[in-house]
Amino acid sequence: MLTLSLFDVDPEDATAAKRAAQLREELNEHSHRYHVLDAPTISDAEYDALLRELRVLEAAHPALITPDSPTQRVGAPSAEGFAKVAHPRPILSLANAFDAADVRAWRERLLRHAESLGLTERMAATRFVVEPKIDGLTVVLTYRDGVFVQGATRGDGAVGEDITANLRTLRHVPLALRRSAHPPAPSMLVVRGEAFVTLADFEHMNEKLRSADEKTFANPRNFAAGALRQIDPAATARRPLTAFFYNVVITDGTTAPTQWESLQWLRALGLPVSDIAQRCDDLEAAIAYCESYVARRDELPFEIDGMVIKIDDLALAEQLGYVGKDPRGALAFKFPAREATTLLRDVAISIGRTGNITPAAVLDPVQVGGVTITNATLHNYEDITRKDIRIGDRVIVRRAGDVIPYIAGPVIAARTGIEQPIQPPTQCPFCGTPLVKREGEVALYCTNDECAGKVDRAMQHYAGRSAMDIEGLGEKIVAQLIDAGLVTDVADLYALHKDQLQPLEKFAAKKTQNLLDAIAASRERPLERLLIGLGIRHVGEVAARALARRYGSIDALLAASTDELQQIDGVGPIIAEGVTAWAARPATRALIAKLQTAGVNPTQEPQIDAVIEPPQGSFAGKVFVITGTLSQPREEIAAWIEERGGKVTDSVSKKTSYVVIGDDPGRSKVDKAMKLEIPTIDETALRALA
Ligand code: IVH
């Protein structure tokens, strides 16, 4: 047997050993400052230099390599896959509450149970800790003498899988616990936490996978699960996972008396702990804190599916015991799920007033985020193909924050083989005209100005409250008028006659007269309302007002040039282009003439001074680049930005003020924004800036 004593080590090795220990300590300290505290004190380059020095030392003296060396984060893949690990204590789950009443009922049960155990006073005295319930994957970590030795998944709660090598690659998992903690790290410590991916990293990774033509992940949880179960730790290392810890499962040292102190201790040991965790004096305060996050969950950089309320007094919690697998002393306050799976029955095709064709999912009704969903957008056909969504699939429906419900993807595992691929239409389903794709856009368009579908939408828009405000001319009546062949454009409305309407179903004399009166009254609407009603591409309320002020009449507007239009405050190149393209169409000229003959020709005094005013809007001087799908077509968002004095360009440069990131953003734009350190914002943030 070979034994080593200090006397056998040559002096050079002793110096190397000392330096290696010092470097390890320093590097681990800096890594903690960087990843856990988010407060680095040295630059990345300085860190890399120290790490390089340690690598060189270790290469020369392999005996100096220790398991907690920062050079040892990424190990070799194991040939046997994941070994089974029996948990030292079963990994339990939590009972759920869905509202304040459920939490209060929990308290009543607890009080009764505490009374039966003679713990009434303790129960009355305890505080509560509220923590975020992160939607990730449970991990159980073992530290021996302060060194990370084993990490496992939850598995069935009794036996998990050994994912030590993978967990070592997480920068938020300390390889060695901090020695400065009080009490110090015990000889044996088992902690429990949640490994997860931040939403920003998740979106960024999905984008990378997409551009490599690989399958994307439907949600952050699936991503984290996939990342942790990589056979090759190097593959896990490439996925940006992070973790929070919230529970001391086993310690052979002093135990903290409260959950709150336990969290502080975990933090002092160098383990990341959520800073949203809060101690509350009583349960009502805990409930209020939970409820405050229902609205704030969208502001968090990670996905939570609720909050966890825990009895602060740990000895009391232990004495209260368990019901089945759930500890009595803790409760999950669940938020409405934002995701559910359901059957995709069919794809409906809708048309917008500009002729844009949008596929929509027809779903078996399902509850998502507290609302029953039967339809969800499928964005466009390219998106359907990329996500490989088929009719008959079980699909994941998501509804996050104020975003409209959409289909995140199919549940591939649920496929039976009878699912049908979805073919994009080649002809307009309303008029049969071949559909076209515009340069640089993914949407399909019907170009027929007489398309019944388009006329229907255009007429509804024309009659809308912010446009010509024709009361009584809603969706159903518009459809009736078109079906009866009474109208083919909005100008026909003014030629309608009582005798034509009364034979229609549900058109009593009074209703008929009211509708005719409302149509007649719309002749008096100001020019800006007419401009909105005509549905000129990209012209919203603000631009319509600016155009009406500057030109005073439709005829003057029809004669305007792109250059001249662009000089107007609130009109950028996109809106100007929309106006001139509209004015150039013979169908526009014909419709205007018809409207004028029908007595619809509002005028006002033109105000030439509206020209060459510097942009005044909230986006004045700001340049935006949009990437990915937002809640409205990109051009509409661009026009909305222009109306506020901002500009939208196609490529990211030093002049860009913000990059707006939607669903499925373009990788190169995101990368460029990062490189040039241009702030990236989502649609909610963009709206908030206005
Ligand atoms: S406490 C006995 N605290 O939610 C203690 N769990 O059903 C039970 N989770 O998958 C767990 N964040 O991993 C606790 N702050 C938190 C949590 C949390 C997420 C997960 C947990 C488990 C599920 C509970």
Side-chain angles (χ1 to χ4, degrees), residues 250-299:
I250 292 195
T251 170
D252 61 0
T254 335
T255 27
T258 63
Q259 171 66 9
W260 186 245
E261 283 156 290
S262 182
L263 292 179
Q264 311 312 319
W265 185 51
L266 291 173
R267 194 178 271 141
L269 288 168
L271 290 154
V273 170
S274 168
D275 49 20
I276 289 164
Q278 172 142 320
R279 179 145 74 170
C280 300
D281 283 340
D282 56 46
L283 197 63
E284 288 306 316
I287 292 171
Y289 192 63
C290 289
E291 285 177 337
S292 75
Y293 271 96
V294 176
R296 281 195 282 173
R297 86 199 271 204
D298 290 321
E299 295 162 21

Side-chain angles (χ1 to χ4, degrees), residues 593-675:
K594 209 166 150 186
L595 278 168
Q596 287 173 336
T597 311
V600 184
N601 193 19
T603 53
Q604 63 190 63
E605 196 58 40
Q607 293 186 348
I608 312 294
D609 66 354
V611 182
I612 326 193
E613 266 173 25
Q616 305 271 308
S618 45
F619 291 156
K622 299 267 187 295
V623 181
F624 295 82
V625 171
I626 302 174
T627 174
T629 311
L630 303 179
S631 69
Q632 285 179 296
R634 179 170 317 182
E635 301 250 302
E636 264 164 53
I637 306 257
W640 180 84
I641 289 173
E642 283 186 356
E643 285 186 340
R644 282 151 188 79
K647 251 175 65 178
V648 178
T649 61
D650 283 332
S651 56
V652 182
S653 75
K654 276 188 294 196
K655 292 194 189 123
T656 309
S657 319
Y658 296 97
V659 177
V660 185
I661 311 237
D663 222 28
D664 301 350
R667 178 190 180 179
S668 61
K669 287 183 183 163
V670 176
D671 285 351
K672 190 107 183 259
M674 289 206 178
K675 214 170 109 206

Side-chain angles (χ1 to χ4, degrees), residues 502-562:
Q502 265 171 355
L504 300 180
E505 201 183 327
K506 292 195 182 152
F507 265 82
K510 187 156 187 303
K511 176 171 165 179
T512 304
Q513 195 52 52
N514 286 348
L515 180 62
L516 290 174
D517 289 349
I519 293 171
S522 72
R523 290 193 176 95
E524 310 307 320
R525 304 273 178 262
L527 179 58
E528 70 176 79
R529 297 291 207 98
L530 176 61
L531 295 181
I532 295 170
L534 289 170
I536 307 166
R537 224 163 156 230
H538 309 316
V539 174
E541 290 181 34
V542 179
R545 192 168 313 135
L547 293 171
R549 265 185 64 194
R550 165 68 180 83
Y551 292 101
S553 72
I554 286 270
D555 286 329
L557 178 64
L558 286 173
S561 72
T562 320

Side-chain angles (χ1 to χ4, degrees), residues 484-503:
L486 295 176
V487 291
T488 56
D489 60 38
V490 295
D492 285 340
L493 290 169
Y494 298 92
L496 286 173
H497 192 271
K498 234 191 326 208
D499 302 340
Q500 296 171 301
L501 295 179
Q502 265 171 355

Side-chain angles (χ1 to χ4, degrees), residues 28 67-73 143 146-148 168 173-177:
N28 283 338
D68 66 337
S69 169
T71 61
Q72 302 302 301
R73 285 227 174 241
Y143 286 86
V147 176
F148 176 51
R168 290 180 68 87
V173 170
L175 296 178
L177 296 174

